[in-house]
C-alpha cells in the first residue's frame, strides 16, 4: 500500500478492519476463514451503510491480494454483494455556531484552529501538520490525501493569525513535532459545542464558496478532492438557493377553472 502511495490513515483503516474481522469471527487464519463467516460478520445489524461499505472494501481488497499471490486457492469475498453507496448530505456548521465559537475562543491558537477549516478548507491532519513554510505570498501550499498538493488563497481574516508565527509548526506538541489530527479534531469539536465536528467546518467552507462562485470545480480544487462527485456531497444548498431556483420558473396563464355544477341533495341522500 505504501508502494501505491496510500496514506498512513488509509493503511491504518485497512488494518483495523482486518483485526476486527479476525477478533469477531475467531478464525484461526486468513487462509481458513470461510465465506459464511465473513457474511455473518458483515450482516451485523448495528452498522451504518458507510461503515459496512468501508469494512467490505478493506477485506475484499485483502482477500483479492491473497488469491492473486496464491496465499489462498479461493477468494471468500468474491460472491459478497456490494454495499450501495450511502446518500450523503452536506452538514455545514451553522453560521451562528461558528460565530459563537470564535467569540468564545479562549486564545489565538483556538481561533486559528477554527479558522483554518472554515476559511481555508483544511482537514484535521492538514491543520495539525501546518508549517510556516507552507505560507508564502498570501497562499497556503497544502499536501493532502494521496500526496496531492494544492494551493489555497489566504483569506484576509486568516492572514494576521498566520503572521503571528514566523517559523516552525503552528501547533507544536511537547511530545512530538506537532499536535495529532485527533487532538485537533477533539479540540475543535469542544470549541464548536455538542453535535458539531471539525469536518463540518469544511462543509461550511465548501457551501459558502460555492454560494459565492457557483463554480464546483474551484471548490473541488480548494478542498483537494480527486473527484468532483465527492465535492458535491460537501456543498449544502441553503433555503435561499432552493427558493430562488423555484422562483426562476416562468409564469404561465392558468386556465379558468369551470364552476362545479350545483346539485340538490337531500339530507338523507347517500354521498359517494
Amino acid at each position: 500500500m505504501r508502494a501505491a502511495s496510500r496514506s498512513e490513515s488509509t493503511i491504518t483503516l485497512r488494518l483495523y478492519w482486518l483485526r476486527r474481522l479476525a477478533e469477531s469471527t475467531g478464525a484461526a487464519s486468513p487462509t481458513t476463514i470461510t465465506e459464511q463467516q465473513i457474511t455473518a460478520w458483515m450482516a451485523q445489524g448495528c452498522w451504518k451503510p458507510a461503515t459496512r461499505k468501508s469494512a467490505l472494501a478493506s477485506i475484499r481488497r485483502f482477500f483479492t491480494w491473497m488469491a492473486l499471490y496464491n496465499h489462498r486457492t479461493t477468494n471468500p469475498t468474491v460472491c459478497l454483494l456490494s454495499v450501495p453507496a450511502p446518500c450523503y448530505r452536506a452538514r455545514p456548521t451553522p453560521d451562528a455556531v461558528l460565530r459563537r465559537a470564535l467569540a468564545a475562543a479562549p486564545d489565538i491558537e483556538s481561533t486559528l484552529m477554527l479558522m483554518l477549516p472554515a476559511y481555508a478548507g483544511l482537514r484535521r491532519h492538514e491543520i495539525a501538520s501546518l508549517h510556516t513554510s507552507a505560507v508564502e505570498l498570501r497562499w497556503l501550499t497544502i499536501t493532502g490525501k494521496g500526496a496531492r498538493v494544492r494551493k489555497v488563497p489566504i483569506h484576509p481574516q486568516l492572514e494576521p493569525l498566520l503572521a503571528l508565527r514566523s517559523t516552525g509548526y503552528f501547533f507544536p506538541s511537547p511530545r512530538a513535532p506537532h499536535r495529532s489530527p485527533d487532538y485537533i479534531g477533539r479540540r475543535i469539536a469542544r470549541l464548536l459545542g455538542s453535535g458539531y465536528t471539525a469536518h463540518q467546518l469544511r462543509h461550511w467552507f465548501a457551501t459558502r464558496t460555492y454560494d459565492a462562485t457557483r463554480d464546483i470545480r474551484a471548490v473541488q480544487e480548494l478542498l483537494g478532492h480527486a473527484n468532483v462527485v465527492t465535492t458535491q456531497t460537501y456543498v449544502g444548498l441553503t433555503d435561499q438557493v432552493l427558493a430562488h431556483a423555484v422562483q426562476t420558473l416562468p409564469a404561465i396563464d392558468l386556465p379558468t377553472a369551470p364552476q362545479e355544477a350545483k346539485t340538490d341533495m337531500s339530507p338523507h341522500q347517500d354521498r359517494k
Side-chain angles (χ1 to χ4, degrees):
M1 292 181 73
R2 290 192 180 100
S5 295
R6 297 297 189 268
S7 69
E8 289 302 314
S9 60
T10 298
I11 295 172
T12 299
L13 179 65
R14 298 291 190 239
L15 291 173
Y16 166 79
W17 282 122
L18 290 173
R19 292 192 182 100
R20 283 282 303 271
L21 175 65
E23 293 167 359
S24 300
T25 61
S29 165
T31 61
T32 58
I33 192 169
T34 65
E35 179 184 338
Q36 289 73 24
Q37 287 176 299
I38 295 175
T39 301
W41 178 69
M42 285 291 303
Q44 297 178 82
C46 58
W47 288 357
K48 294 181 179 179
T51 303
R52 209 181 302 276
K53 191 175 184 67
S54 174
L56 179 59
S58 296
I59 63 171
R60 176 171 278 164
R61 190 71 191 121
F62 175 73
F63 285 108
T64 298
W65 169 81
M66 289 197 76
L68 286 172
Y69 284 83
N70 299 316
H71 296 298
R72 280 187 64 121
T73 57
T74 60
N75 181 348
T77 66
V78 71
C79 290
L80 293 180
L81 297 176
S82 297
V83 178
C87 182
Y88 293 109
R89 291 180 60 88
R91 298 177 297 116
T93 304
D95 292 358
V97 171
L98 176 57
R99 283 195 295 266
R100 184 174 66 242
L102 287 169
D107 48 49
I108 294 297
E109 185 179 75
S110 298
T111 301
L112 183 58
M113 283 186 189
L114 290 166
M115 290 289 286
L116 285 170
Y119 280 81
L122 269 57
R123 301 177 176 94
R124 293 185 310 164
H125 77 271
E126 295 166 350
I127 298 170
S129 61
L130 186 65
H131 194 274
T132 53
S133 60
V135 183
E136 187 178 6
L137 299 176
R138 297 183 177 178
W139 288 82
L140 288 175
T141 301
I142 304 299
T143 301
K145 285 186 176 180
R148 287 187 292 273
V149 179
R150 70 186 189 276
K151 292 179 72 68
V152 180
I154 298 175
H155 190 276
Q157 286 190 286
L158 185 56
E159 191 170 9
L161 296 173
L162 294 173
L164 293 175
R165 181 174 289 275
S166 58
T167 184
Y169 289 103
F170 282 94
F171 305 105
S173 170
R175 294 179 295 276
H178 57 76
R179 296 289 188 181
S180 71
D182 287 342
Y183 172 87
I184 297 294
R186 289 194 301 270
R187 183 141 167 208
I188 292 176
R190 286 197 297 268
L191 291 167
L192 291 173
S194 178
Y196 299 104
T197 67
H199 202 65
Q200 287 175 267
L201 289 178
R202 287 239 309 161
H203 286 214
W204 186 88
F205 173 84
T207 299
R208 291 306 176 192
T209 51
Y210 181 75
D211 278 352
T213 65
R214 289 294 186 269
D215 190 337
I216 195 69
R217 281 285 292 115
V219 180
Q220 177 191 359
E221 290 295 324
L222 290 170
L223 290 176
H225 287 153
N227 193 320
V228 74
V229 174
T230 304
T231 308
Q232 291 172 337
T233 66
Y234 279 62
V235 175
L237 297 178
T238 62
D239 291 346
Q240 292 84 352
V241 171
L242 296 175
H244 175 71
V246 173
Q247 290 165 5
T248 60
L249 294 172
I252 59 174
D253 294 329
L254 296 175
T256 303
Q259 292 186 350
E260 294 183 1
K262 294 182 179 180
T263 57
D264 293 330
M265 297 183 66
S266 66
H268 303 290
Q269 184 175 352
D270 291 336
R271 300 188 181 190
K272 297 181 180 180

